[in-house]
Amino acid sequence: MDMVQLESLNNDNQEDSIRKEIRDWSKVTLEAPIKELNGLSGCPYAKKAWANNKVDIAFKRSESFDVVYQILESFNDEYDLTIVVDWDYEEDPYMFHQRVEAINYSIAHGAYNDLNLWVMSSHPEDDSNQEADGDEFVQHNDCDYAMMYIQRLD
């Protein structure tokens, strides 16, 4: 096995581990009942989307947002949600979220010929991530990453 094959195998293993981590995170933080919401979950659609295999996960490995743009240009309606794991994210959470806002502005103004898409985001430094990572969620990986959630508005 040469170095390129070994690196590819390591990337695949890490991607599989991150996919599992995201799924576990969703169960604990999005799907579980929340006392302050009278027992409702944080996202009422998450559990069903996962159960019906309606969640896709893509990986952004460089500063380039090409993978995000490609998803926006040809959104796959086989999925309700595409999560983009961003390994090379902006260190500054404000700048990261500003970039996502700029993408949403571009969508709203016809840059992708589909006005019915929206991108949400989370950054490792977001306060909400610190609060959501309570005692119940166990991180599987020692790497940090940001996430972008691409879905239809309707």
Side-chain angles (χ1 to χ4, degrees):
M1 183 177 295
D2 64 22
M3 289 303 291
V4 172
Q5 290 173 318
L6 187 59
E7 186 175 315
S8 176
L9 181 60
N10 287 338
N11 283 343
D12 289 346
N13 289 341
Q14 189 172 32
E15 287 180 7
D16 288 344
S17 181
I18 288 173
R19 287 181 206 296
K20 181 178 179 353
E21 180 173 84
I22 291 170
R23 180 64 189 105
D24 290 348
W25 167 82
S26 178
K27 286 177 184 176
V28 170
T29 61
L30 299 178
E31 300 167 42
I34 299 172
K35 182 180 175 182
E36 294 80 11
L37 296 176
N38 293 324
L40 297 174
S41 65
C43 180
Y45 306 106
K47 187 174 185 175
K48 183 178 179 185
W50 284 105
N52 292 332
N53 294 316
K54 294 290 193 174
V55 180
D56 190 24
I57 299 176
F59 291 85
K60 178 183 161 303
R61 297 174 184 84
S62 68
E63 285 184 16
S64 170
F65 274 72
D66 283 350
V67 67
V68 175
Y69 303 147
Q70 289 169 0
I71 292 166
L72 291 170
E73 288 171 1
S74 57
F75 188 79
N76 185 348
D77 283 311
E78 180 179 332
Y79 301 104
D80 292 341
L81 173 69
T82 297
I83 300 171
V84 178
V85 175
D86 188 350
W87 277 335
D88 194 12
Y89 56 89
E90 289 271 351
E91 290 293 324
D92 180 342
Y94 176 79
M95 295 304 295
F96 173 75
H97 292 299
Q98 285 299 112
R99 179 71 179 257
V100 172
E101 286 301 314
I103 291 170
N104 283 325
Y105 180 88
S106 297
I107 294 168
H109 289 85
Y112 300 98
N113 297 322
D114 192 340
L115 302 178
N116 191 29
L117 294 170
W118 188 253
V119 183
M120 295 178 291
S121 55
S122 63
H123 187 282
E125 302 288 323
D126 289 346
D127 291 339
S128 60
N129 284 339
Q130 308 305 320
E131 294 166 10
D133 291 345
D135 294 335
E136 296 178 34
F137 175 70
V138 178
Q139 188 172 347
H140 302 285
N141 297 283
D142 60 358
C143 62
D144 287 332
Y145 49 87
M147 291 189 284
M148 289 170 271
Y149 315 91
I150 304 172
Q151 61 188 30
R152 293 214 172 271
L153 289 170
D154 58 12

